[in-house]
Amino acid sequence: MILTWRAGLLAAIAVVAVAIAGHWLAFVIATGLLVLVITVDLVLCPSPAKITVRRSGDTSIRLGEEAEVSVLLTNHNRRAIKATVRDAWTPSAGARNGITTLTIPARQRRLTRTTLRPTRRGDRPSGPVIIRSYGPLRIAGRQRAHHQAPWQVRALPPFNSRKHLPSRVARLRELDGRSSILQRGQGTEFDSLREYVPGDDVRSIDWRATARSTTVVVKTWRPERDRHVLIVLESGRTSAGRVGDQPKLDHSMDAALLLAALASRAGDRVDLLIVDREVRASVVGEPASTMLSTFVNAMAGVESVLVETDHRKLVAEVMTRVAQRSLVVILTGLDTAAITDGLLGVIGPIRRKHRIVIAAVSDPRIEELLSRREEPGDAYAAAAAEVDIARRERLVRQLRDLGISIVQGPPDTFAPALADHYLALKKAGRL
């Protein structure tokens, strides 16, 4: 049972009437009338328990977009019901227009719609549908929470770097010999024969084919295809730090999706591993047609864990997934202690057999701290930024001396920088 503001108003009027009368009998009469009015209004109120609820609508969207979920209400009462309906969701679902007042005639149905704009990745579950009905005097009413229509909307990674994909695919086509002629080199494979044109390298002439033809024939080459790329996302403590308005893990996911889309267009096989102290997600052997959507769904529910990554487990999981020589891309943070005390001590088995790229997003605020020297506090912050940059540079030099490639950059350029590094390796035949 619920009471509206009208019940409070009636109670206030009764108090004033009793005060004016100044007799205990007036109090009994006023109280009796108030209880009678509330009881009659409550008895005449249609039951919200006789309303059936069914949800439908979107089940997944990209973070930053809007989803729409509908609630179908069926009135099984013998009378029309005027009710306030609240479609409840978790706060991070970003529900709007979730409270509606409507009248449902007897034995009929009405539809309400709720707009969702999630603020976080992952599964956003619904709450109950709360129906509050009122009596004809709208003094009292009944309320019921319906839990029989659960719903869930999955907020997928936004893949903001998708806009960089067409330009990288165009460069990939050039490397692949579809837009320009490539000569033979390391990491290339035979593509086709064609007629010689002035300017071609004479070393590409196929003399056997020329002997069987009336014209000079040359060989064309393209980068090797069907290589293996393993993308490893480290979801431990270092990935929880925020750069801009997102955790480092989200920036890493964005770069991983761009790299995966580009590598699949190049004909390479791409696998995914997300790990900290345990494997949070793994995608192996997914065909190119469904690979990107599978990656996105695997990433959606993964959050950073505030523990140190078990690098021995990371290396063991990598070694079980890669047999032939592969490109292993580890997206992590360039934290000096985590890298030198953890990863470097156990990465030997991967380094001896595979090509390793370590990619990390950098915080542009560090550069901003270097440029501010007006106040004494700014000078201390700038000094701390200088120390951090020096440590990072020493770590990068140490990793490069071991033959490990490093890709780093601010959020706006991090994903395309990793894609460009992949193309550079492809062009140089170093995969």
Side-chain angles (χ1 to χ4, degrees), residues 371-390:
S371 61
R372 296 169 54 186
R373 305 291 178 95
E374 292 83 5
E375 301 293 334
D378 296 338
Y380 284 107
E386 290 279 7
V387 171
D388 182 75
I389 292 173

Side-chain angles (χ1 to χ4, degrees), residues 24-266:
W24 66 270
L25 188 59
F27 173 76
V28 172
I29 294 174
T31 303
L33 288 175
L34 181 61
V35 171
L36 179 63
V37 170
I38 292 175
T39 302
V40 170
D41 202 37
L42 190 62
V43 169
L44 296 177
C45 174
S47 173
K50 294 183 179 180
I51 302 292
T52 57
V53 176
R54 189 176 68 186
R55 281 190 175 101
S56 61
D58 298 326
T59 57
S60 65
I61 56 165
R62 293 193 180 277
L63 190 65
E65 298 178 354
E66 291 186 350
E68 187 174 83
V69 176
S70 301
V71 179
L72 183 64
L73 305 165
T74 305
N75 182 14
H76 297 283
N77 289 283
R78 296 181 179 179
R79 303 189 305 275
I81 181 172
K82 186 170 185 179
T84 300
V85 181
R86 182 191 175 202
D87 185 12
W89 288 80
T90 56
S92 58
R96 292 187 289 110
N97 306 322
I99 300 178
T100 309
T101 300
L102 72 167
T103 300
I104 310 175
R107 310 296 181 182
Q108 293 191 26
R109 299 180 296 180
R110 290 293 183 270
L111 191 70
T112 68
R113 292 181 174 87
T114 303
T115 302
L116 305 178
R117 191 181 181 89
T119 57
R120 293 174 55 191
R121 281 185 299 101
D123 296 328
R124 306 272 77 86
S126 66
V129 176
I130 303 171
I131 302 176
R132 178 179 292 180
S133 63
Y134 303 99
L137 300 177
R138 297 184 65 81
I139 294 175
R142 303 180 186 182
Q143 180 171 298
R144 178 68 178 265
H146 293 263
H147 297 270
Q148 72 270 26
W151 199 257
Q152 183 172 273
V153 173
R154 169 163 286 193
L156 305 173
F159 195 9
N160 295 322
S161 61
R162 182 190 292 270
K163 60 186 177 184
H164 300 290
L165 185 59
S167 61
R168 271 61 187 181
V169 170
R171 290 174 55 185
L172 179 64
R173 287 174 177 168
E174 293 179 1
L175 293 177
D176 206 20
R178 298 176 216 169
S179 301
S180 66
I181 302 167
L182 290 181
Q183 304 302 328
R184 183 178 184 178
Q186 183 183 14
T188 58
E189 61 185 8
F190 174 74
D191 183 29
S192 61
L193 296 172
R194 62 166 176 78
E195 185 179 343
Y196 173 87
V197 295
D200 285 340
D201 192 336
V202 296
R203 292 174 295 180
S204 297
I205 297 176
D206 188 322
W207 295 108
R208 290 185 179 181
T210 300
R212 296 191 299 267
S213 175
T214 58
T215 60
V216 179
V217 177
V218 296
K219 296 178 180 179
T220 60
W221 308 87
R222 67 181 182 184
E224 288 182 308
R225 302 171 70 87
D226 197 30
R227 311 303 288 175
H228 184 216
V229 179
L230 176 61
I231 301 175
V232 182
L233 271 69
E234 185 264 310
S235 56
R237 174 187 60 83
T238 57
S239 67
R242 299 188 73 84
V243 177
D245 59 349
Q246 291 182 336
K248 291 181 180 179
L249 181 61
D250 286 36
H251 295 295
S252 296
M253 287 180 176
D254 192 51
L257 290 173
L258 180 61
L259 176 60
L262 183 61
S264 66
R265 298 287 184 91

